[in-house]
Amino acid sequence: MLLISCPWCGPRDEDEFLNGGEAHLDRPEPPEAISDEDWAAYLFFHHNPRGMLAERWAHSYGCRRWFHALRDTVTHRIHATYKLDEPRPELPE
Amino acid sequence: MSERYSAFALARHALTGNRDWPQAWRSPEPKAAYDVIVIGGGGHGLATAYYLAKNHGISNVAVIEKGWIGGGNSGRNTTIVRSDYYYPASAAFFDRSVTLYEGLSRALNFNIMFSQRGTLTVAHSRGEVDFQRRLVNAMALNGIDMRTVSREECFRLCPILNCTPDARYPILGGMVQDRAGTARHDAVVWGYARAADRLGVDIIQNCAVTGIRRDPVTGAVTGVETEKGLITAPKVGIAVAGHSTVLADMAGFRLPLRSLALQAFVSEPMKPVIDMVVSSALLGVYVSQSDKGGLVIGGNADAYASYAQRGNLPSMEATLSGLIEMIPSFARVRLLRQWAGIVDYAHDSSPVLGLSPVPGLFLNCGWGGGGFKAIPAGGETTAHTIATGQPHPLIEAFSLGRFRELAMVDEATAAGIEH
Ligand SMILES: Cc1cc2nc3c(=O)[nH]c(=O)nc-3n(C[C@H](O)[C@H](O)[C@H](O)COP(=O)(O)OP(=O)(O)OC[C@H]3O[C@@H](n4cnc5c(N)ncnc54)[C@H](O)[C@@H]3O)c2cc1C
Ligand SMILES: [Zn+2]
């Protein structure tokens, strides 16, 4: 069971959260100028690393706000959580 | 060279105390070069190698496996084989696979214990009953042997189902595929391995691929770096399930896949209580009983990216509470084992098969939680694609290019549950 630290509510049980996939994906603009290739890249061709992943989470059964987390997909350890407008934190190697 | 298995061989070896059975396949050191390298010694990799040798006469082939063959999802699944898919492309592909399964024990000279016990998928609301009727009609048009069954028929087929009228999720009907069933997963892996080995394929275990070599000018694949050194080949197939994007990263391109942990559970052995595969999409659970008597239980994948071959508690709780809603008497059954495999899902829950952006590099991935049933047809079509350089007609709809064209084969809606 993961203990996820919501930036607003503090550590809560994983049951309260919804995972939203890879973080820091910016919708390409303007839509009419984007090639099919680039739309597909934005929509489907995401990063799926064996290791550190920046991802979105929603505290659906708490404050209902979205935030970001850096989580290792092998150990499941969450190294940091941060607000949407904060930059991805640097982690020591 | 392993010997042919037969009743006669059994009797002969019994006389000598079964001490002198030959190895079922060799454990060779890798050669420096092959005509084809297949990465991943699961069912799909081994079946691909077998059909390359059997159907296309290409036997200078190596299957390179990082652990032991069948140690991935092919040895971790709940062994359900069915073809109740909605879209014509899926129906044609998966039904071909069921047909190949029907003749597989004989073709491989290995008993894969294919038991066509049938699958029953129950429906819990008027809406779901109507939806199933629509599915069954569409599947029937695709030539799949589906039928709807009434509420009473559901309880006749599986008397331990929750038939109380005031059930939280009452069972109102269902759909059945009679040709569907289960097979012994390890036997499918071992059967293909042994048959491929007999045709000259080298199976290299305990040898992870660590890099993919490409020609600096043409970009075409030239070989793979492994824990046992560089091995070259002009054609390379990737069949590594949950690790597909890791291999694609090595080759320098992306795949539209997400790796998730999918769990399964086996109970203590019991006397026979359930002789079909029974599932509920709404409750997110399915169950069958193995020949040893254990209940084999599965459900939905864990809800976030994972490469850890263990499952989490919330999914376990969801699956098992679904199970006892569907079959309340199982509440007192104890679990013996629980595990997870890493499965790779595309956005439309259909596989990604055929050509990759790298010349000479071929894809067999995106099986998610449903690729065991696909092993024979996956191997057959991947071998064809590697041998001829052209996608087999049965897999054209499952190309990587469909994501750019938005030509999805969205089976998530039709299949509903990962098995
Ligand atoms: C719990 C569970 C239940 C399931 N139930 C069903 C079911 O009922 N019916 C059904 O049809 N499907 C089911 N599936 C799905 C099915 O198991 C898979 O789709 C199928 O086994 C995939 O076969 P494969 O050969 O592609 O992959 P795998 O069997 O996983 O083989 C891939 C191999 O690649 C190897 N590998 C990875 N990286 C490397 C590398 N760098 N170098 C060399 N080798 C590497 C791995 O070690 C592994 O052995 C289930 C899966 C799970 C996890
Ligand atoms: Zn919160």
Side-chain angles (χ1 to χ4, degrees):
Chain A
M1 187 76 81
L2 300 182
L3 193 61
I4 302 174
S5 198
C6 169
W8 287 278
C9 313
R12 297 295 187 100
D13 193 290
E14 89 175 75
D15 267 333
E16 297 183 14
F17 296 87
L18 177 81
N19 180 275
E22 190 184 3
H24 305 297
L25 295 174
D26 294 324
R27 189 172 191 270
E29 297 284 356
E32 62 278 10
I34 307 302
S35 67
D36 290 355
E37 205 81 47
D38 289 344
W39 269 121
Y42 166 65
L43 289 172
F44 306 121
F45 289 76
H46 298 170
H47 193 34
N48 181 42
R50 188 180 196 282
M52 200 65 76
L53 174 65
E55 58 189 2
R56 289 177 299 209
W57 286 87
H59 192 188
S60 345
Y61 298 101
C63 65
R64 304 189 56 199
R65 279 192 271 199
W66 286 89
F67 61 93
H68 287 157
L70 281 179
R71 186 176 61 90
D72 188 310
T73 59
V74 181
T75 63
H76 289 184
R77 178 165 167 209
I78 296 170
H79 290 261
T81 54
Y82 51 105
K83 295 178 182 171
L84 292 184
D85 54 2
E86 289 171 354
R88 175 178 167 150
E90 294 294 329
L91 291 178
E93 281 303 307
Chain B
M1 165 79 61
S2 66
E3 69 177 85
R4 251 196 89 73
Y5 293 157
S6 64
F8 176 70
L10 266 182
R12 187 156 44 80
H13 283 285
L15 290 177
T16 53
N18 284 312
R19 284 173 206 285
D20 55 351
W21 285 98
Q23 272 191 321
W25 54 84
R26 300 162 298 129
S27 296
E29 283 303 306
K31 295 190 273 185
Y34 289 90
D35 293 340
V36 178
I37 290 171
V38 180
I39 308 171
H44 282 278
L46 292 163
T48 298
Y50 168 75
Y51 291 112
L52 275 169
K54 177 85 184 165
N55 294 353
H56 304 280
I58 303 172
S59 55
N60 185 23
V61 175
V63 175
I64 302 185
E65 164 55 48
K66 113 177 135 176
W68 64 94
I69 58 169
N73 297 339
S74 297
R76 292 168 184 265
N77 64 82
T78 47
T79 81
I80 293 154
V81 174
R82 58 187 176 83
S83 59
D84 52 346
Y85 284 80
Y86 180 73
Y87 289 100
S90 319
F93 176 86
F94 287 102
D95 213 49
R96 170 70 185 157
S97 214
V98 173
T99 303
L100 285 171
Y101 261 119
E102 287 174 330
L104 201 58
S105 290
R106 200 165 287 271
L108 299 180
N109 179 231
F110 203 104
N111 186 2
I112 61 145
M113 300 166 70
F114 187 34
S115 154
Q116 291 174 290
R117 57 186 67 187
T119 50
L120 166 64
T121 309
V122 296
H124 303 275
S125 64
R126 282 302 318 167
E128 210 183 355
V129 169
D130 287 348
F131 181 67
Q132 283 196 346
R133 202 166 293 162
R134 172 167 164 269
L135 282 180
V136 166
N137 286 338
M139 289 173 191
L141 286 176
N142 291 332
I144 311 296
D145 63 311
M146 295 297 296
R147 59 191 171 98
T148 51
V149 288
S150 67
R151 171 182 157 84
E152 292 68 35
E153 179 95 39
C154 288
F155 300 137
R156 240 194 327 274
L157 288 168
C158 184
I160 57 175
L161 282 175
N162 189 352
C163 61
T164 50
D166 58 349
R168 173 78 178 80
Y169 297 104
I171 291 168
L172 302 183
M175 61 182 192
V176 167
Q177 182 178 22
D178 292 300
R179 279 172 73 222
T182 59
R184 170 114 199 260
H185 52 10
D186 291 330
V188 172
V189 170
W190 298 335
Y192 274 117
R194 174 170 165 274
D197 175 272
R198 281 166 76 99
L199 294 171
V201 170
D202 283 357
I203 297 168
I204 320 283
Q205 303 187 72
N206 297 309
C207 179
V209 169
T210 53
I212 293 187
R213 286 278 181 100
R214 296 175 62 177
D215 185 295
V217 181
T218 64
V221 72
T222 57
V224 298
E225 291 155 24
T226 77
E227 290 176 327
K228 297 188 176 183
L230 175 69
I231 309 175
T232 64
K235 291 179 173 184
V236 175
I238 300 181
V240 297
H243 284 74
S244 299
T245 61
V246 176
L247 271 290
D249 285 344
M250 290 179 196
F253 65 94
R254 278 205 177 173
L255 288 170
L257 299 172
R258 196 165 177 230
S259 297
L260 303 174
L262 178 61
Q263 307 189 50
F265 314 88
V266 167
S267 77
E268 59 192 337
M270 305 189 296
K271 290 187 176 173
V273 285
I274 181 167
D275 64 358
M276 300 181 81
V277 181
V278 179
S279 68
S280 161
L282 181 78
L283 299 174
V285 68
Y286 59 92
V287 60
S288 66
Q289 191 170 18
S290 77
D291 293 347
K292 283 192 285 185
L295 298 176
V296 183
I297 303 154
N300 293 311
D302 294 4
Y304 44 81
S306 175
Y307 284 86
Q309 284 186 120
R310 56 171 195 268
N312 68 15
L313 283 168
S315 298
M316 180 193 267
E317 191 180 7
T319 302
L320 297 174
S321 44
L323 178 71
I324 55 180
E325 166 65 26
M326 186 166 77
I327 304 179
S329 57
F330 285 170
R332 293 172 56 193
V333 174
R334 274 168 299 194
L335 290 183
L336 212 55
R337 293 184 288 132
Q338 170 272 355
W339 66 90
I342 302 305
V343 294
D344 50 330
Y345 274 98
H347 288 69
D348 57 359
S349 293
S350 283
V352 180
L353 302 171
L355 310 184
S356 81
V358 176
L361 192 63
F362 300 89
L363 302 173
N364 174 317
C365 56
W367 295 112
F372 175 71
K373 65 173 85 67
I375 286 172
E380 184 185 54
T381 54
T382 305
H384 171 102
T385 307
I386 292 175
T388 65
Q390 294 300 320
H392 188 284
L394 278 178
I395 63 169
E396 278 168 2
F398 302 112
S399 72
L400 184 60
R402 77 175 185 271
F403 295 93
R404 198 193 54 203
E405 312 297 330
L406 293 182
M408 301 299 179
V409 188
D410 193 349
E411 285 294 343
T413 44
I417 192 164
E418 285 114 358
H419 64 93

